Amino acid sequence: MSNRFQVTDRFADGAQYIGGRLRAGTSDQEHSVIDPATGESVYTYVLASTADVDEAVAAAKAAFPGWAGASPGERSDALHRLAGVLADWSEEIARVESLQCGKPLKLTTEFDVPGTIDNTSFFAGAARHLQGQSAAEYTGDHTSYIRREPIGVVGSIAPWNYPLQMAAWKILPAIAAGNTIVLKPAELTPLTSLMFAQAAKEAGIPDGVINVVSGSGRVVGEHLVGHPDVVMTSFTGSTPVGKRVAEVATATVKRLHLELGGKAPFLVFDDADLEAAAHGAVAASLINSGQDCTAATRAYVQRPLFDAFVARVAELMDSVRVGDPFAAGTDLGPLVSHRHRDSVAGFVERARDYATVVTGGEAPGGELKNGAYYRPTLIIGAAQDSEVVQSEIFGPVLVALPFDSDDEGIRLANDTPYGLAASAWSRDVYRANRATREIKAGCVWVNDHIPIISEMPHGGTKASGYGKDMSAYSFEEYTQVKHVMFDNTAVAAKDWHRTIFGDR
């Protein structure tokens, strides 16, 4: 058992949060949360069963009328209180997130946790602004207006790479709009999702509004998605699993939001600031050890800058400090598991047959040998149709390829099934604007790559899915738009009735 930070006492009652309390799962399977930096178990719990899902959905269904009936101001006040609780617990939440994920503590304390608190504050304000189209007399004889109403019980599935932030992205817009929710976090990393639910109770959000079931995707996830009392599913994860979620959800005609894989291009034109692009590429490819669906994975660099870009990126990658997530000065922690580390290493080893590994391409030894570490890796010489260019690796691996004309660069940037995020690097506003128009992605940054803000939407196109997290646009996922029409004439026998019966 790791002695760096203990979580057993906080979750002594189990890893299921249903109806306002923690309890153990009722399956016959145990699962251990592993510290990927050491390979040691830090918490063992009993996985949820389908019966636990049924109980969680029932709790959410029972809580729905009261929460949906609360005023926007009441829901807003509750979310403001939640932001305050999260701020008070921020140090512990950051340490638990680093423990279960292997993230450097500076990332969880400066990105994951403050980003989640900001997102909570944003939706506290947004809860008061669920607006529809203004009232008007479009026929002349009737007044029409739009109501935005909560849709019911939401069943959401979150991934392991950002368990705290993804829990917030699923929960906050849903409950701000008046829905209740059952969240299934990844069984690898359930702890901060459970803490988020506990913080909500501390903030006075009623029992049953937020429920968390920790179990396997094949059993618990599929049962949640297919549950007849769940009216909407929001899923973040890989594209293959997203296809299965869609199959199950559409069988029961659920509303569906999918945020899936990515293979983000990093497009560097020959007039770009080389130093800025190199720094940006290293940060954007290595954030969260590359386990980020928006991470820069394909650097297309116009030929005049290509060699200098490769040399500078390699130099910067070699300076990255790989180490214990809790140690001062660590830049890059381990991947989430040894299994995933081996998957990333497999991509790189296969690439050696057709490309060149400039730097990295190995797991460090020494005192890090027991962790799921992998060095920052830069690959060149790969063909556009090769595996490392087309497939999502989800690790600290950047592939750099040259291009000649602007047309070619944009074409190559669009040449994958994915369309989640991208960036363009240029001092020329016309070049940059063209890239933002023509690159097919849900987000295109200019002269930066990765920053997100609560006020703006996150979501993709093509095989990266559809729908939006964050921002006021997310309410389009979590509300039912209802048209209400009032007759203004008080005439019993209306003229249009004559088209059905009688004469004018």
Side-chain angles (χ1 to χ4, degrees):
M1 181 71 70
S2 171
N3 60 10
R4 293 184 301 158
F5 191 71
Q6 300 295 333
V7 296
T8 303
D9 290 346
R10 174 177 275 280
F11 304 108
D13 294 328
Q16 316 304 325
Y17 190 86
I18 299 173
R21 68 181 183 91
L22 283 173
R23 66 166 182 74
T26 60
S27 76
D28 58 359
Q29 293 181 293
E30 286 191 339
H31 186 83
S32 290
V33 177
I34 303 297
D35 176 355
T38 65
E40 297 175 349
S41 171
V42 296
Y43 178 67
T44 299
Y45 67 98
V46 178
L47 292 170
S49 67
T50 56
D52 297 321
V53 175
D54 292 340
E55 185 177 341
V57 172
K61 185 177 180 180
F64 174 69
W67 185 246
S71 71
E74 290 169 331
R75 292 198 291 268
S76 175
D77 289 346
L79 289 173
H80 277 301
R81 294 194 300 271
L82 174 56
V85 174
L86 293 171
D88 291 341
W89 293 7
S90 60
E91 182 178 353
E92 183 183 3
I93 293 172
R95 294 180 69 83
V96 173
E97 190 79 335
S98 289
L99 182 69
Q100 68 178 354
C101 299
K103 299 169 184 275
L105 195 59
K106 69 176 181 179
L107 182 65
T108 57
T109 57
E110 297 179 31
F111 181 73
D112 296 74
V113 174
T116 300
I117 295 169
D118 182 74
N119 209 228
T120 305
S121 296
F122 170 81
F123 279 106
R128 291 179 176 264
H129 295 282
L130 280 169
Q131 298 174 343
Q133 193 168 348
S134 300
E137 288 70 45
Y138 295 100
T139 70
D141 292 336
H142 307 82
T143 297
S144 288
Y145 68 88
I146 295 295
R147 290 178 56 88
R148 278 193 176 270
E149 297 179 346
I151 58 176
V153 177
V154 177
S156 292
I157 300 176
W160 49 257
N161 59 331
Y162 289 101
L164 175 65
Q165 290 205 75
M166 294 298 101
W169 287 14
K170 302 301 182 194
I171 291 169
L172 291 170
I175 68 172
N179 303 292
T180 56
I181 189 169
V182 179
L183 175 76
K184 193 203 89 66
E187 58 267 40
L188 288 175
T189 56
L191 302 180
T192 48
S193 298
L194 294 166
M195 292 182 75
F196 191 93
Q198 290 177 308
K201 183 178 178 71
E202 183 79 7
I205 293 175
D207 293 348
V209 172
I210 300 171
N211 305 273
V212 180
V213 288
S214 305
S216 73
R218 290 189 179 275
V219 177
V220 169
E222 290 207 10
H223 190 66
L224 177 62
V225 173
H227 199 289
D229 289 332
V230 169
V231 298
M232 175 188 165
T233 290
S234 177
F235 170 80
T236 297
S238 71
T239 297
V241 177
K243 291 178 180 179
R244 177 58 185 162
V245 169
E247 289 175 2
V248 177
T250 53
T252 50
V253 199
K254 286 178 171 49
R255 187 176 297 194
L256 185 60
H257 167 211
L258 298 174
E259 198 267 89
L260 307 177
K263 191 70 176 174
F266 187 98
L267 186 60
V268 182
F269 294 102
D270 58 13
D271 66 333
D273 182 326
L274 178 62
E275 190 70 4
H279 278 262
V282 173
S285 63
L286 300 185
I287 185 171
N288 200 28
S289 297
Q291 300 166 128
D292 186 309
C293 50
T294 64
T297 60
R298 300 177 290 138
Y300 295 103
V301 184
Q302 208 149 24
R303 204 170 296 275
L305 290 185
F306 183 77
D307 290 343
F309 176 88
V310 168
R312 187 61 174 134
V313 167
E315 181 182 24
L316 291 171
M317 281 188 169
D318 288 342
S319 73
V320 170
R321 299 163 294 184
V322 180
D324 183 340
F326 290 91
T330 292
D331 296 319
L332 192 76
L335 283 88
V336 73
S337 69
H338 288 78
R339 179 180 179 182
H340 184 60
R341 189 272 311 277
D342 293 345
S343 172
V344 171
F347 277 99
V348 177
E349 290 309 305
R350 290 189 296 274
R352 293 184 192 275
D353 292 337
Y354 55 80
T356 300
V357 177
V358 178
T359 190
E362 63 180 3
E367 62 184 18
L368 302 180
K369 65 181 180 180
N370 293 327
Y373 292 93
Y374 200 74
R375 292 196 184 281
T377 300
L378 176 63
I379 296 174
I380 63 172
Q384 176 65 15
D385 61 355
S386 64
E387 181 186 47
V388 289
V389 175
Q390 292 294 324
S391 299
E392 189 173 30
I393 300 173
F394 225 56
V397 180
L398 177 66
V399 184
L401 304 94
F403 70 92
D404 292 305
S405 68
D406 290 15
D407 288 349
E408 181 190 17
I410 292 173
R411 178 181 62 79
L412 292 172
N414 284 328
D415 185 28
T416 70
Y418 300 104
L420 185 59
S423 63
W425 297 74
S426 174
R427 292 184 174 96
D428 185 329
V429 66
Y430 298 102
R431 258 181 162 174
N433 263 329
R434 180 191 175 191
T436 63
R437 290 193 308 271
E438 296 186 13
I439 292 176
K440 306 303 180 187
C443 174
V444 181
W445 293 281
V446 176
N447 295 327
D448 209 343
H449 192 117
I450 285 297
I452 54 174
I453 49 174
S454 298
E455 291 82 358
M456 288 291 112
H458 174 86
T461 185
K462 303 194 311 187
S464 293
Y466 48 83
K468 299 298 180 185
D469 288 312
M470 300 198 299
S471 82
Y473 290 100
S474 64
F475 284 132
E476 296 175 6
E477 317 294 328
Y478 295 98
T479 56
Q480 176 64 44
V481 175
K482 179 186 287 185
H483 171 214
V484 178
M485 178 179 273
F486 279 86
D487 170 63
N488 294 329
T489 66
V491 174
K494 294 179 171 57
D495 187 59
W496 78 265
H497 294 171
R498 307 287 73 80
T499 63
I500 311 303
F501 71 98
D503 299 317
R504 285 189 173 86

